[in-house]
Amino acid sequence: MQFLGTTQTASYCGPRKASGFGVLPPAVQAPVVQECYQPYYLPGYRYLNSWRPSLLCKVSDVQTCPDEGTTCRSPLRPPTILPVLHSTLFCRYSPRDWDQTNQLQIGGAEASRLWAGRLMGDSMRLMQDKDQLTRQMQEGTCRNLGQRLSDISFWKSELSYELERLLNENHGMEKVKRRLECAAEEVNCPLQVALECLYHREKRIGIDLVHDNVEKNLIREVDLLKCCQDQMRKLAQRIDIQMRDNRDSQHALERDLEDKSTAQFIDEKCFNLRNTSDCISFFHGVEKVDGTISVPETWTKFSNDNIRHSQNMRANSIRLREEAENLFETLSDQMWKQFTNTNLAFNARVSEVTDVKNKLQTQLAKTLQEIFQAENTIMLLERAIAAKECPLKVAQTRLECRTRRPNVELCRDIPHFKLVNEVFTIDDTLQTLKLRLRETQDTLQLLVMTKCRLEHELAIKANTLCIDKEKCMGMRKAFPCTPRLVGHT
């Protein structure tokens, strides 16, 4: 079978059948088959032949008569048009399509030419406008940079003046601090003792870590000693804190001054840049990166806040120096009185803890006796449970043996009832004894836990007595005299 035509008009022809026409004269040549199919690619479909079969159109090549100029055919054979020729003629374009396509091409070319002309004129005007805009913007930027440099110079002078005054105030504060440290050195000893007592009492364990009268008196003593040091040593600490604040303000001024010097150098460099400078270059995307952290208002406010903060620190320093002149001759009597009250509270607390410790020791002895009795009871219950296991085995064995009686002898008689009742009774007895054994074991565990708690409490009380009686009272045997408390050496 032979395949002819395209995919749209393919036909399958078999062997030629005999017809009523005569045989062609021998003068006519056999048709010559030639390939005349030319592929046509639509836009965007240049590779459709990658999936379509490659087809050839078979066209009959006939001879023409030399006299008439027409195709010579046999008078006995009608003209033959192959299916492939019909398909080829059907796919041709019409003259109207050809004219429309040419007109479209000519019109498109004319429109493109006119558009290109207008675009070139607009481009020239655009370039002139943008050149003028660029020059204006560059001149405005230079004016703004000049104004910015003036602002930086002004704030640099203000910061330098305030920094100098702050350094002088810091020097005066250091002198006052050294005076207060020397006067407060004598008060440091009793304060250290009171603090050590508080630190040791923080090592109490469990419930003994209580806020009792001793701790209250120690806190009052520390507060009273610090009240003396508020005029002496604590004031020195406040001055030290104030000096740290002054240093923070000083560092802020120095950092702000350094940043403004750097910014002034950079802005001067930017101010001097021109289109002919050597150091200019492209930095693509730099205009999209916003690394700024302030605006002109916040920039001015930042430096102004630094100066105001420095002025506030200087005012606080002056007040502290004036306060440090009236500190050295007060509160010695109150300190002695508080020292005595704290010692009395220590003695009362030691007596209370000793009494509770004796009571706990008594309870521990009784608990040990109960533990001994509970252990004996557990041993007796375990023996009773073991004694009930053999009778239960006997009863269950008897029942199992009687289940092997033959036929009608497997009777539910009185021995059977008695054995069943015996098994249930012994099993209930075992369960009762085991339950009582568990209860006794739980009670023993509770007693053991009580014993552990009592021993733990006794250890806590012993630790508390060691802290209060030996460590704290041992440190509180001496106290500075009045002249040394008021700063005399």
Side-chain angles (χ1 to χ4, degrees):
M1 181 179 293
Q2 188 176 7
F3 177 79
L4 298 176
T6 62
T7 55
Q8 293 88 350
T9 57
S11 62
Y12 298 88
C13 301
R16 189 172 60 185
K17 298 180 180 180
S19 61
F21 300 99
V23 182
L24 292 176
V28 179
Q29 283 186 339
V32 178
V33 178
Q34 46 179 287
E35 300 177 359
C36 63
Y37 177 79
Q38 297 297 328
Y40 174 76
Y41 301 104
L42 294 176
Y45 298 87
R46 290 190 55 84
Y47 302 102
L48 288 177
N49 60 346
S50 60
W51 61 271
R52 294 182 58 182
S54 180
L55 303 177
L56 298 178
C57 300
K58 296 183 179 181
V59 181
S60 177
D61 185 13
V62 297
Q63 293 181 354
T64 59
C65 296
D67 296 333
E68 299 177 359
T70 59
T71 303
C72 294
R73 295 185 181 91
S74 172
L76 300 179
R77 182 180 179 181
T80 302
I81 298 178
L82 297 178
V84 64
L85 286 178
H86 178 271
S87 174
T88 303
L89 292 175
F90 181 77
C91 294
R92 300 267 185 194
Y93 291 104
S94 65
R96 181 181 179 183
D97 294 338
W98 183 82
D99 290 335
Q100 289 179 352
T101 302
N102 291 332
Q103 292 298 326
L104 287 175
Q105 294 293 337
I106 294 171
E110 183 69 18
S112 299
R113 185 179 59 78
L114 294 176
W115 168 252
R118 288 195 299 269
L119 182 62
M120 285 186 291
D122 292 341
S123 298
M124 295 301 295
R125 288 190 296 272
L126 178 65
M127 287 187 292
Q128 293 174 359
D129 294 341
K130 296 304 179 182
D131 287 343
Q132 183 179 1
L133 178 62
T134 302
R135 284 193 299 272
Q136 292 176 355
M137 293 183 66
Q138 198 171 52
E139 292 172 359
T141 302
C142 289
R143 287 193 300 272
N144 294 334
L145 286 174
Q147 182 63 36
R148 183 66 171 179
L149 289 172
S150 299
D151 295 342
I152 292 175
S153 298
F154 169 76
W155 284 109
K156 279 183 64 179
S157 62
E158 293 292 325
L159 290 170
S160 299
Y161 176 72
E162 182 60 31
L163 180 60
E164 183 180 358
R165 298 185 66 184
L166 184 61
L167 289 175
N168 293 333
E169 188 61 36
N170 286 341
H171 184 65
M173 290 288 288
E174 288 178 359
K175 292 181 179 179
V176 174
K177 179 186 174 184
R178 284 194 296 268
R179 289 177 55 198
L180 288 172
E181 286 176 349
C182 293
E185 189 65 28
E186 295 299 329
V187 185
N188 186 45
C189 182
L191 178 60
Q192 186 67 29
V193 169
L195 290 174
E196 285 291 334
C197 291
L198 284 174
Y199 294 153
H200 282 303
R201 286 177 63 80
E202 287 296 325
K203 297 178 182 178
R204 292 173 297 171
I205 305 171
I207 193 62
D208 276 16
L209 193 62
V210 63
H211 187 60
D212 52 4
N213 289 330
V214 176
E215 188 168 355
K216 293 177 182 178
N217 279 278
L218 280 172
I219 292 174
R220 281 196 292 268
E221 181 177 343
V222 170
D223 292 339
L224 183 60
L225 291 172
K226 285 185 176 180
C227 183
C228 192
Q229 286 190 342
D230 279 341
Q231 317 303 315
M232 291 183 289
R233 182 166 188 168
K234 189 177 178 182
L235 183 58
Q237 294 176 357
R238 289 169 56 193
I239 289 176
D240 186 59
I241 293 174
Q242 183 61 46
M243 290 179 63
R244 288 201 296 268
D245 293 340
N246 291 349
R247 285 193 293 270
D248 291 340
S249 180
Q250 175 187 342
H251 293 161
L253 292 174
E254 291 174 348
R255 185 168 55 251
D256 195 3
L257 193 60
E258 182 182 358
D259 291 344
K260 281 181 171 47
S261 298
T262 304
Q264 186 178 22
F265 173 77
I266 293 174
D267 285 347
E268 286 178 352
K269 180 180 178 181
C270 294
F271 181 77
N272 295 324
L273 286 177
R274 297 294 182 267
N275 293 335
T276 57
S277 300
D278 295 334
C279 57
I280 59 176
S281 179
F282 286 109
F283 296 92
H284 296 288
V286 68
E287 69 281 357
K288 299 178 182 178
V289 179
D290 187 5
T292 59
I293 60 175
S294 65
V295 295
E297 291 78 9
T298 58
W299 176 79
T300 303
K301 184 177 181 297
F302 179 76
S303 297
N304 193 25
D305 290 344
N306 286 335
I307 293 175
R308 289 184 179 275
H309 184 260
S310 176
Q311 292 173 349
N312 292 334
M313 294 299 103
R314 286 194 297 107
N316 294 337
S317 300
I318 292 172
R319 285 195 296 269
L320 286 175
R321 286 194 296 110
E322 292 174 352
E323 184 181 351
E325 300 297 331
N326 306 315
L327 303 182
F328 301 107
E329 294 183 359
T330 55
L331 302 177
S332 61
D333 184 58
Q334 295 181 9
M335 286 167 32
W336 269 105
K337 183 179 179 180
Q338 184 60 43
F339 178 75
T340 304
N341 291 337
T342 303
N343 287 344
L344 292 175
F346 264 113
N347 292 329
R349 184 62 179 172
V350 168
S351 299
E352 292 176 359
V353 175
T354 303
D355 184 54
V356 172
K357 181 182 177 184
N358 294 333
K359 292 179 180 180
L360 289 174
Q361 287 177 343
T362 302
Q363 291 295 326
L364 178 61
K366 294 179 180 180
T367 303
L368 291 174
Q369 181 64 29
E370 291 295 333
I371 289 174
F372 177 74
Q373 292 179 1
E375 289 176 348
N376 289 335
T377 303
I378 289 173
M379 181 180 63
L380 294 176
L381 287 172
E382 289 176 348
R383 290 179 181 177
I385 290 172
K388 298 297 183 293
E389 291 179 353
C390 291
L392 181 61
K393 291 179 182 179
V394 171
Q396 289 180 348
T397 304
R398 286 174 176 175
L399 276 175
E400 196 277 332
C401 289
R402 286 175 61 83
T403 56
R404 294 196 294 271
R405 290 175 295 171
N407 299 325
V408 75
E409 296 298 328
L410 193 62
C411 179
R412 187 178 295 175
D413 51 6
I414 294 177
H416 180 79
F417 284 110
K418 292 295 184 180
L419 285 173
V420 171
N421 187 29
E422 183 181 358
V423 169
F424 278 110
T425 302
I426 295 175
D427 185 66
D428 182 66
T429 301
L430 282 173
Q431 296 300 324
T432 304
L433 290 174
K434 289 179 180 179
L435 178 62
R436 184 55 55 86
L437 177 61
R438 285 194 296 271
E439 292 176 353
T440 308
Q441 289 174 345
D442 294 341
T443 303
L444 177 61
Q445 186 177 5
L446 179 62
L447 289 172
V448 171
M449 292 174 63
T450 303
K451 168 180 166 291
C452 293
R453 285 197 299 268
L454 290 174
E455 291 176 346
H456 182 65
E457 289 295 327
L458 284 172
I460 290 174
K461 298 299 181 289
N463 179 66
T464 303
L465 285 175
C466 178
I467 291 173
D468 289 345
K469 189 175 182 179
E470 297 178 7
K471 293 183 179 180
C472 294
M473 294 300 293
M475 291 188 298
R476 300 180 61 83
K477 292 180 180 180
F479 196 76
C481 62
T482 302
R484 301 179 76 86
L485 288 176
V486 295
H488 297 292
T489 57

